[in-house]
Amino acid sequence: MSARTHRRHRLLAVPAALAASALLLTACVSNEPAEEETEGDSTSQETAASSDNDAPGEPVVIGFSAPAADHGWMGAITSAAEAEAENYEDVELRVAEGTNDVNVQISQIEGFIADGVDAIVLLPFDGAALTDVAIQAMEAGIPVINVDREFSDPFAARTTVLGDNYGMGVSAGQYICEQLGDQPDAVVAEIQGIASLPLTQDRSQGFADALSDCGLDVDNQVAAEFTVQSGESVTANLLQAAPQIDAIWNHDDDQGVGVLQAIENAGRDEFFLVGGAGSANMMREIESGDSVVQATVIYPATQAADGIKLARLIAHEKGMSDLQSSGVPRTVQLFAPVVTADNVADYLPNAFES
Amino acid sequence: MNEQQTSSAPADAPKAAGSRRGFSALSGGTVRNLGLVAALLLLCLVGFLTGGERFASLTNLTIILSLASVTGVMAIGMTFVITTGGIDLSVGSVLGLTTVWASTLATQDMADQFGWIVMVGCALLVGLAAGLINGVIIAYGNVVAFIATLAMLVAARGLAELIANRRTQIVDQASFEDTFQGNLLGVPKIVWIFALVVVAGWFLLNRTTFGRRTVAVGGNPEAARLAGIKVKRHLMYVYGLAGLTVGIAGVMMLARTGAGSSTNGLLLELDVIAAVVVGGTLLAGGRGTIIGTVIGVLIFATLTNIFIINNLDSSVQQIAKGAIIVGAVLLQQRISRPSRSS
């Protein structure tokens, strides 16, 4: 359960993330469908003029459910959410045991509904498969805060907190373009995570789009399973398949441990590697300066913690004090910055161990 | 092995010993099932002591039954397969395949015209076909069931990924949702389906020639062949039946999740087999019990529920599951020994 993660500094990151999301929101609003009335929504929410948001209020019970913490990023998600809840004396967090079985996760949410919790923060193993039960919760008057993997129906969540998967691909692609843009023949390889997940498709699409801007494309693409073992085995095969590579983007730093192992085993260093998610060990590789890892793209492991914070605000019928508009926004999308040797010192303290 | 053959001897001559066999199976089965019921009650007691009202509520009972339903329907089919002395490792993958196939855009478009029956028919057909393919390879190809269904496990998952294009497919077909989601008389519809499959499975195994042949083939295939049973054809039917139940479970999974995904049913085959074996069906074949299977499924669903309610680590849950499997099998060996000699 990745007790190794140190994230006491995360509080600093939350206002920054919210401010960034406020900027993004202005761009998003025009795309949003006209907001329909959902229960417990926008009926009596008053604009919070100043930031009394952290002041203790009525006790609220928040149910939290996420997939099994079977790799570092997911472990950090849960521990960050738990730490966030501890910051508020008025929040009682009920953390359901992580599971990769949608059948079981549905039961957990059904249990939260039966208990009548005040809000549910849900990072679904599969967004589409948990949509129906989320709608049940919303219909029971329990606001659902959807984190990371999106539901297939806008009625299923009061608020959605998303990382930027497409943006991750774009950031990675743009960085590689900056490095290799003058070499149209450069060989670029991509190591995906679980290929069946929509987030993987989004990352790959962003990557391909950004590369095409500078006339590059993905020459070799393989998929791992977010695990060290699969990262090692697919990379070993990839390196065998491509005798000469200029750049690799690896979607996930957890599997990156295996990826680096395979690169070391093969004795290859003619290319540079860009990571994904932003783990502490990849950042240390970047910091060291003598690794093939030159950069990694952040995918915040703090988004469920943001979800807890928003769930509390919604349960208290408060707004986000930095915004003029009343209530908590419907969508909050976080940013995917590139970490390089120049700025790694800023990001390393908040990174998760994979 | 020898013990096994002697115990199956009455099953080889079903006509001659029909009534006696029926009676002894009932009493022996009752003793065995009593042990299982005791285990389930014990588990419920633990649930009540640790979860209190959160456990012992009608809502929670519904949650447990819903959780048990998908696995349960597959376990009914698996009971027949294991009774013949076989095994079907492919059920989890085939479940994924049926949900994906039944929720493709083309299928849903057709369903818009002809109703939900198209999606259900598709799931059932895909499940049945996969089961029959297993059956043909095992019975006529003389491939060990373990290997043949292992191949299906891998292939069905691959085909599911191919068809789904690795995307989760949303079910937005209104008539399907209306028919299979929600409650009927306060009980989720998928629980009703589970109940129907249980009754049908019990009838098929205990009250029909098909059921008697299944037991006979599992007890002693050679004797069954000599008694005039077409063993190969019967095996093919049994795997087909298992596939059909997976198709039904696929429909239920679609109803529960509202989405077809190639990751549906991952590792579910292990849960299904565990429930059947804990229920008292002999892995060596020759003895099968539907009631036992149902209790086995309920034991695991209740266990999962207790862990959810108390937020216990799922790794510990796996240890508990393992202990239950071993405990139940040891217990059954104790109980079934005297019942055999009588």
Side-chain angles (χ1 to χ4, degrees), chain B residues 232-315:
Chain B
K232 285 178 191 290
R233 200 175 65 183
H234 190 79
L235 275 181
M236 185 183 75
Y237 288 158
V238 166
Y239 283 92
L241 177 72
L244 188 66
T245 59
V246 176
I248 298 171
V251 173
M252 295 158 76
M253 196 73 167
L254 272 186
R256 194 159 159 79
T257 63
S261 164
S262 56
T263 55
N264 274 346
L266 211 57
L267 295 180
L268 211 54
E269 56 276 354
L270 300 181
D271 289 359
V272 171
I273 293 168
V276 173
V277 172
V278 164
T281 298
L282 276 185
L283 262 178
R287 186 180 83 199
T289 150
I290 298 290
I291 307 292
T293 295
V294 172
I295 303 174
V297 171
L298 286 178
I299 285 177
F300 285 120
T302 308
L303 184 73
T304 305
N305 182 262
I306 291 174
F307 272 77
I308 292 174
I309 280 188
N310 294 303
N311 274 329
L312 296 173
D313 193 319
S314 56
S315 316

Side-chain angles (χ1 to χ4, degrees), chain A residues 280 282-291 293 340-341 344-345 348:
Chain A
M282 284 304 148
M283 289 192 195
R284 282 190 289 269
E285 293 278 342
I286 295 167
E287 204 173 30
S288 75
D290 55 3
S291 165
V293 188
T340 64
V344 64
L348 191 50

